[in-house]
Every structure is written in C-alpha cells, then in structure tokens.
Amino acid sequence: MTDQTHIIDRLSIQADGVIRTEDGTIYAPLTLPGEEITGEVAAGRIAQPKIVTPSASRVRPPCPHYRSCGGCSLQHGADEFVANWKASVVETALNARDIQAKVTEVMTSPANSRRRATLSGRRTKKGAQVGFHGRASGTITEISGCTLLRPELLAHLPTAEALTMAGASRKGELSMTLTLSEAGVEIACSGGKEISADLFTTLSEIAHKNGLARISWNGEMIAAIRPAWQAMGRAQVAPPPGAFLQATKEGEAALTEFVLENLGKAAKVVDLFSGSGTFTLPLASHADVHAVEAEAPMLEALDQGWRKAQGLHRVTHEVRDLFRRPLLPDELDRFDVIVIDPPRAGAESQIAEICSSKAKRIVHVSCSPITFSRDAKTLLEAGFVMEKLIAVDQFRWSAHIEIAALFTRC
C-alpha cells in the first residue's frame, strides 16, 4: 500500500521514524517527527519513504552519498534538532528508570573530524570496492566525498583499495580499521587471506609506498614504519593496532575536560576500563592513578607512555576483567575518586561493588544511554546524587551518543 499517508510520531533509538498504527509500529528511516510520508510497507518498515510534508527541522544532507550509505543516519536533520534529540534519548532512558534528569550541554564534534573508522573492502571483477555498508544492506557504498572522516583518512582510500586487491578473498570481505595517529594513518586489517611470505611482502610494500605509519593483518604486525602514537595528556602513547580510541579529538577533549573538572581534591584515583590511558594519563597530571583494564597490550602501551613522560604523578596498572572480577569494596576504598568508562554493556557488577564501598565521588562516562540509566539507578538507590550530566556527540549524524556524569554521596 503506497498511497496511504503516515505521520512520524518520534524517532526510535536507532534514529528511524516511528509510526503508530492500529496494527502495530512501522519504522521509516530518513524521516523526522511530525512529517507526513508515503511509501510501501514491508515487514513493518518503509524502506523508501517519500516526504509529503517536511519538518521545519529538515535540511539538505551535506554528503552526496547519504541516501545510499549507512555511515550516517541523521544528516537530514538540522544541527539543533539532532543535539536536542540526542539529549532527549539520554533523558528518556533515565526517565524509564524513574530518574528525572536534564542534559545541561551537548557538545558536538565538527564535520570531517572522525579520526578512526572501519571500512569494508570487497574484490570485484574490475578491481576493488571500499566504503561503508548501506542501510540494512550488504552492499558497500564508496565514500570519496565523505563529510564524516578526517581528510587524512579519506586520502588513504586508494591504499584501502590496494589492500583489498592484495589480500581479500574472492567471496569474503576485508575489514579495515583506519586510525589517524600523530605519525600518520595506520590500518588494522581483519578477515583477509591467511598470511604468506608473498602476501607479507606485498602488504609491507603497500604500507611503505603509501606512507602508512604501520599496518597489521589478522592481528599480526606487518610493518611498523613509525610509532603510531597518540597524545594523552603529557604522554605519547602508541596503542595496539585497532585498539579502542575516542572517535574524535574534540570529543576526547570534551570528555577529558569533564573528568578533570570533577576530580575535586583527589590525591588517589582509580580509572576503571582505562584502555590505553585516555583519562589515566591526563589525570596523572593531578593525582596518583591506578588503571584497570582487561587487555594487557593496552596497559603496556599506557605504561610505556607514562614512563617516557615528564612531570606526571605515579601511575600503576592492573590487568583485570572487571565483568568477571570487579574491584571489591576494600580495594575501591583506597581511592578518593572513581573514574569509570565501560563498554556498551555497562558495568553492572562493578557498580554493585562501588555501591557497597565507601566511595563518595564517581565520574561516569558511558556510550550507551540504556546501560548508563540502569547503572545510574543502582547508584542513586545506594545514596548517590547525580550532580552533573552532559552529552558528547562525537559520532556526528549517527544515533550514538556519549554521556558523562558526576555522582556524589555524603
């Protein structure tokens, strides 16, 4: 049925338009609340909506690939609308847990600021195709005019094509994580052919020819031409290939500033899910820090960065799976402030131990409104108060949002 019109009620957490009908819910991508649309409904979805009455918040998407590419989902919305919607996503998740809180600020990274992205590559009869997957599709959309990525990453699309030609299997797909370091771009590849002597040589030659800082293949280092270091506070850290890194420098700076501003007069801080030191090393300019992370190579990179830096407080580290072995109350009680930045799954077990400890000050960073609201509810029930709440949008034009909050208790 294509002639029937529908009104978009709201956006889902994935940023699809939501239509309420007597028969259930219909989803429509690339729409905005209040818009009147038509389109064929299949399996509860209008894949190709036609806008009859546009929202006042609708704008012309800046990217030429927007309709076919799945890298962005909100370029059709004005910046103010997107910021307000992302704040509402956080607030709605909290409200669902009976927590009344307002996001006081949304800090959005600029266009062409993503310094890390994972591209897909597939060999074709004529060569190679590299880009992002289309929406709910296995089709790869080439992204030569991408408005999301840093120019330094876009400049290496030919490098990614060469790697795809050299090492992607005929039927498989190569995954390439491009990261901009202070020494240039590095690429971590996975899903390619098994490494051989000839392939090793070819990959190394591609890296040298195209000026990569380093390249790895299926977890094996192929060429480390220059140290692929990142600035973390006063330290220079070379994280493992493909390791987690905040998506933009601007987003990292906003989150780090929030963490440091809410440190108080702490002399000893524990940084849980520390990664390679995003917060640990800036914190070490102000206090002794104990970093806890499950991945040993990330902590080794952190430690090397700390040892070579000047003027930092003492930094210790511990390899520990905080999902299976969270820090216990007697361990947590050694610290004045707890900084925690868990992955999308949240930190349910660790938060429970924090609540049983004597902790009075927690700076909580999260990439999931759902698990953040769950963990926030646990903290509030244990006597904590959420004093501050901000959002950091470093995944511009996507449905993702970062959260930073300060919890205290007497």
Side-chain angles (χ1 to χ4, degrees), residues 167-169 172-175 189-193 217-218:
S169 63
E173 197 171 276
L174 185 65
S175 179
C189 304
S190 61
K193 297 177 183 177
W217 191 267
N218 293 336

Side-chain angles (χ1 to χ4, degrees), residues 59-391:
V59 298
R60 183 183 181 88
C63 181
H65 311 297
Y66 180 54
R67 293 197 68 84
S68 58
C69 178
C72 296
S73 54
L74 282 165
Q75 285 200 358
H76 59 290
D79 288 349
E80 182 179 5
F81 167 82
V82 174
N84 290 337
W85 176 74
K86 292 202 172 188
S88 74
V89 169
V90 177
E91 293 167 359
T92 299
L94 290 167
N95 289 342
R97 300 271 181 178
D98 296 321
I99 302 171
Q100 305 302 314
K102 287 291 183 183
V103 174
T104 59
E105 186 176 11
V106 179
M107 286 169 277
T108 303
S109 294
N112 291 115
S113 63
R114 282 285 298 273
R115 61 177 175 176
R116 186 173 187 268
T118 300
L119 304 179
S120 295
R122 184 181 293 137
R123 290 172 63 183
T124 65
K125 292 181 179 179
K126 296 182 179 180
Q129 190 176 36
V130 170
F132 291 122
H133 281 124
R135 292 181 182 82
S137 168
T139 303
I140 295 175
T141 300
E142 296 178 331
I143 55 165
S144 58
C146 182
T147 55
L148 189 66
L149 304 185
R150 287 279 296 262
E152 296 93 332
L153 296 186
L154 289 173
H156 277 282
L157 289 177
T159 309
E161 291 173 1
L163 292 171
T164 301
M165 286 294 296
S169 63
R170 285 288 184 183
K171 296 182 179 180
E173 197 171 276
L174 185 65
S175 179
M176 294 166 283
T177 299
L178 281 67
T179 304
L180 177 61
S181 74
E182 298 295 337
V185 174
E186 64 167 312
I187 302 182
C189 304
S190 61
K193 297 177 183 177
E194 292 293 324
I195 199 72
S196 64
D198 288 345
L199 181 56
F200 188 101
T201 299
T202 299
L203 297 174
S204 182
E205 289 174 349
I206 291 172
H208 281 83
K209 178 182 177 180
N210 292 278
L212 294 180
R214 66 182 179 184
I215 183 171
S216 63
W217 191 267
N218 293 336
E220 180 180 346
M221 183 63 71
I222 302 298
I225 301 164
R226 297 181 302 279
W229 63 274
Q230 303 286 343
M232 296 183 181
R234 298 178 188 174
Q236 296 181 359
V237 179
F244 173 80
L245 185 71
Q246 296 293 343
T248 70
K249 277 191 173 183
E250 294 84 356
E252 180 177 275
L255 291 169
T256 301
E257 181 180 357
F258 184 89
V259 170
L260 295 178
E261 283 181 348
N262 293 288
L263 187 61
K265 299 180 180 179
K268 294 183 178 180
V269 180
V270 63
D271 184 9
L272 305 177
F273 303 97
S274 67
S276 296
T278 299
F279 301 134
T280 299
L281 293 163
L283 283 166
S285 290
H286 306 271
D288 292 347
V289 189
H290 183 58
V292 186
E293 165 61 46
E295 301 294 331
M298 298 180 79
L299 286 177
E300 290 169 7
L302 183 159
D303 186 60
Q304 288 298 313
W306 171 69
R307 291 181 183 278
K308 294 176 182 178
Q310 300 294 318
L312 296 182
H313 287 251
R314 184 167 181 258
V315 172
T316 55
H317 63 273
E318 177 181 358
V319 179
R320 186 159 170 172
D321 184 338
L322 293 173
F323 291 105
R324 297 182 178 182
R325 293 181 55 238
L327 264 66
L328 301 176
D330 63 325
E331 296 173 290
L332 294 165
D333 290 345
R334 303 169 190 166
F335 305 101
D336 305 310
V337 173
I338 297 171
V339 175
I340 184 168
D341 181 15
R344 192 163 294 277
E348 189 171 17
S349 297
Q350 185 60 79
I351 292 293
E353 299 299 339
I354 290 172
C355 291
S356 298
S357 74
K358 298 176 182 178
K360 298 185 183 301
R361 195 174 191 88
I362 302 165
V363 183
H364 195 325
V365 177
S366 173
C367 60
S368 168
I370 302 301
T371 56
F372 171 77
S373 62
R374 178 200 67 199
D375 294 344
K377 180 72 170 180
T378 303
L379 290 169
L380 296 178
E381 289 177 342
F384 283 92
V385 174
M386 190 190 306
E387 288 194 14
K388 297 180 183 179
L389 177 65
I390 67 166

